[in-house]
Amino acid sequence: MDVAFALSVIFTGIVIVFLVLVVLILIMTLMGKLLGEKTNTSSGTPAGKPVPPAPKAAAPAPIVKKMEVEDGIGDEIVAVISAAIAALTGGSGKPAVIRRAKSEKAGGRSAWSLAGLRENTQPF
């Protein structure tokens, strides 16, 4: 008798939890439809609002002189550094120029070693 009662309590609890979850999902879906903006399903933009044209790419700046690159630094690394600087400057104003790229060795430690040291020695 005790096992049957325990199983009925467990089953009832599971059914109630799932029913409440289904009700919550229905409420959230209904709220999303009522309160959300109506969007154009083909483009994902709000209906009735025009899509702004894509900005035109600026012409690349002429290269004045070749950049000095240390041995062991690949073209991909130079491209990533250039892209990061371009992202930081935002493409407005005077363009940034990279004149030299060299690796920095801090006390003979690798970058991963320095990152771990910095993370573990920061004050609370």
Side-chain angles (χ1 to χ4, degrees):
M1 179 98 161
D2 291 330
V3 174
F5 180 72
L7 288 176
S8 67
V9 169
I10 291 172
F11 181 73
T12 305
I14 290 173
V15 168
I16 289 174
V17 166
F18 279 105
L19 286 176
V20 170
L21 286 175
V22 168
V23 169
L24 285 175
I25 289 172
L26 292 174
I27 290 172
M28 293 299 158
T29 305
L30 182 65
M31 286 178 59
K33 288 183 180 181
L34 291 177
L35 301 176
E37 290 183 350
K38 295 180 182 179
T39 59
N40 186 354
T41 56
S42 63
S43 66
T45 58
K49 294 183 180 178
V51 178
K56 294 183 180 179
I63 299 175
V64 177
K65 86 175 198 185
K66 186 168 171 100
M67 185 171 91
E68 297 176 26
V69 178
E70 186 180 286
D71 289 337
I73 299 177
D75 293 339
E76 295 87 8
I77 302 298
V78 174
V80 168
I81 292 170
S82 301
I85 291 174
L88 285 174
T89 59
S92 62
K94 185 177 177 183
V97 177
I98 303 172
R99 302 193 193 283
R100 188 175 339 154
K102 65 178 187 174
S103 61
E104 186 67 34
K105 301 286 184 188
R109 293 179 183 248
S110 70
W112 288 107
S113 174
L114 290 174
L117 183 67
R118 187 178 312 120
E119 181 179 335
N120 291 324
T121 58
Q122 284 182 344
F124 297 105

